[in-house]
Amino acid sequence: MRWFGAGAGAAYAAAGDAKPYDDKLMRLAEILGAVHYLRELCSANDGQLWRDRMKELLDTEGGTAIRRARLTRSFNQGYRSYRRTYVTCTPTAQSSIERFLTEGIQIADGLVKTAP
């Protein structure tokens, strides 16, 4: 006998895959996407540095397809939201980069300090 539909099954699997620090991790992925776009826009010549950092995050934390998809979605959301906002490098875009780098460092340090 089936108690829930396919959608509920996927939600159940996702909930079983959740970690207590996922909100911070998703925010970090979003920041990586935003920084990747903004640094490229502002001619930082980073190449694929921020995508590589995201790949490291996926390799470390993306244990299941659902987790990888959620992390990737967060990265892409950060990238796309700033692509829609900025078409040229402005002082505001540059200050956003600095703010994101600071926030990303704080999140990463916090995650490292609370890791078992």
Side-chain angles (χ1 to χ4, degrees):
M1 183 181 306
R2 196 165 170 182
W3 292 95
F4 48 81
Y12 177 77
D17 195 32
K19 307 282 188 226
Y21 51 86
D22 275 357
D23 288 343
K24 292 178 183 176
L25 205 60
M26 297 307 148
R27 178 63 182 152
L28 184 58
E30 185 177 359
I31 288 169
L32 289 171
V35 168
H36 178 65
Y37 175 75
L38 290 169
R39 298 261 309 161
E40 187 174 299
L41 180 70
C42 292
S43 302
N45 296 321
D46 290 340
Q48 297 300 306
L49 174 70
W50 302 102
R51 283 184 192 263
D52 291 343
R53 295 290 180 261
M54 183 60 195
K55 183 178 178 332
E56 291 171 13
L57 185 63
L58 285 170
D59 290 345
T60 304
E61 290 292 336
T64 66
I66 291 171
R67 283 185 70 74
R68 291 181 73 80
R70 289 182 64 219
L71 287 164
T72 301
R73 184 176 56 234
S74 293
F75 179 91
N76 290 339
Q77 179 180 339
Y79 186 94
R80 289 177 185 140
S81 67
Y82 281 86
R83 184 179 64 192
R84 285 189 298 267
T85 305
Y86 296 101
V87 292
T88 60
C89 185
T90 64
T92 306
Q94 291 175 331
S95 68
S96 293
I97 293 168
E98 292 173 27
R99 190 179 75 246
F100 284 135
L101 291 175
T102 299
E103 183 182 355
I105 289 167
Q106 290 171 344
I107 291 171
D109 286 349
L111 289 169
V112 168
K113 288 178 184 172
T114 60

